[in-house]
Amino acid sequence: MARISIKSIVFIFALSVFIFPLQAQRHINNERHYWYTLETGKKLFREGSYGDALIAFHDARNDRREMYSMMERDLIMLFSLPEVRRMNDSLGLIENYIAERRQLNAAAALNELYYRVGRERLHNSAQSALEYLDHLKSYPEADYWIGETYRLMGENEIALRQFNETLLNSDRMENPAFVVEIRYKIAGIEHLRRRYNEMERQLQSILERDTLWMQDDNSFVREAMNRTIDTSGVNRFLQMYRYKNSETEKAHRLLGEYFYVSGRHGKAVPHFIFAFLIQNTTIIDEITAEHFDFKFTNLENLMTALARRNDLKDYMKETAYYKTVYYLAAALYATGKENPARELWTFLAGYGDSGEWQGRARAQLRSPFIETPQEIP
């Protein structure tokens, strides 16, 4: 059996007694400080106190930057010692030195770094440790909330700069999926600024998260969907296909509208089909979860099944369900698919809850027409 040296025992004892508890405590205290300030800002934001919220978000960002700057200084001071420089960038040797000399500030900095980044990503390099600490100074969550506050205050230029800054540091966000929300906000601002190419770019970036859309390089699935709608009708299409991707539904819907009103009807159709399919899949799944014996047959029986589901009615408003149905029909008609277009317009015309889209559908049924391309509203 291998013998454990006295030096090893001393090292392990020092590491466990002096470093880990103090490192953990320092990490908890520092994180609570900037995190709590950010949460305070969110509360003020929800209450409509935008000025105070901005102050809190800036404070949270500054607190985090100062925390990691302090840790960076602690490590730089340690790494600058002559005896440490002779360790040739070896983080393992430096850790031994930290434990033996009880360099508690440096130990706390490394522990925070291991927690946030992971030991393996540093490749046993002190220089890498400093580089990662520098990266951690940014606080993209605070940048986002600063941008969102300015957006609601009508300062779109400032908001856009903050959102773009957030995207640059998105790899450091605790919830990377939040990037989708940021891109939607940027697309909304670019829409208001009438920079439609940039709006489209942001929405197309969101669709990179739509697995089915991105994997369908040769449009095989899209063509199959289109063919089913054309030859078998919309109701048969919804019996055959299910697809649920709540993150990208809005991007498909907005791109469908964008391409339609700019006269590119062929490009609008597949986006409207995906938005329509995602919306109906969500509704059908929710109804089936409550009534396991429900079976979709047509849009009319689906509307009957959700009659008392106010949550689903709210979802339909949120996703502009009836508008999507109308413009899917309009895009289909504009590309020569009159039968499924009429099927969708007939559904809207007979369903009172569809509001203005009922009247517009009835007008189309009386005398179908392709709406004049226009500037994006």
Side-chain angles (χ1 to χ4, degrees), residues 296-335:
F296 174 86
T297 56
N298 53 49
L299 287 171
E300 287 75 12
N301 96 303
L302 182 62
M303 296 301 107
T304 301
L306 60 79
R308 297 183 179 180
R309 290 292 300 269
N310 291 330
D311 57 332
L312 292 179
K313 291 180 180 180
D314 289 341
Y315 170 78
M316 292 167 73
K317 290 179 182 178
E318 178 187 337
T319 57
Y321 180 86
Y322 301 116
K323 181 180 181 181
T324 303
V325 172
Y326 176 85
Y327 275 111
L328 170 58
L332 288 168
Y333 178 79
T335 54

Side-chain angles (χ1 to χ4, degrees), residues 245-257:
N245 190 327
S246 58
E247 279 189 338
T248 61
E249 179 276 331
K250 184 178 179 181
H252 282 299
R253 174 163 39 94
L254 294 179
L255 283 169
E257 293 177 17

Side-chain angles (χ1 to χ4, degrees), residues 338-377:
E338 184 171 355
N339 288 337
R342 283 188 170 275
E343 184 181 3
L344 288 166
W345 283 329
T346 299
F347 158 67
L348 288 175
Y351 193 67
D353 283 358
S354 57
E356 70 167 291
W357 306 105
Q358 181 184 49
R360 295 180 69 166
R362 287 176 175 175
Q364 288 281 14
L365 288 172
R366 285 193 299 269
S367 181
F369 63 96
I370 300 174
E371 298 187 16
T372 305
Q374 55 186 290
E375 187 177 15
I376 309 301

Side-chain angles (χ1 to χ4, degrees), residues 27 29 51 94 125 136 160 165 188 190 199 260 280 313 315 333-334 353 360:
H27 160 67
N29 289 340
I94 294 172
S125 168
L136 288 171
L160 192 59
E165 181 70 18
E190 298 294 14
M199 178 196 75
Y260 183 86
N280 281 283
K313 291 180 180 180
Y315 170 78
Y333 178 79
D353 283 358
R360 295 180 69 166

Side-chain angles (χ1 to χ4, degrees), residues 191-202:
H191 181 190
L192 291 173
R193 299 171 74 202
R194 300 183 183 277
R195 291 180 40 166
Y196 303 123
N197 288 338
E198 182 58 26
M199 178 196 75
E200 179 186 349
R201 190 179 74 82
Q202 293 295 333

Side-chain angles (χ1 to χ4, degrees), residues 161-175:
R161 287 200 298 271
Q162 289 297 139
F163 289 146
N164 282 317
E165 181 70 18
T166 306
L167 283 183
L168 287 175
N169 298 313
S170 60
D171 59 325
R172 297 156 215 175
M173 298 187 76
E174 293 184 7
N175 180 12

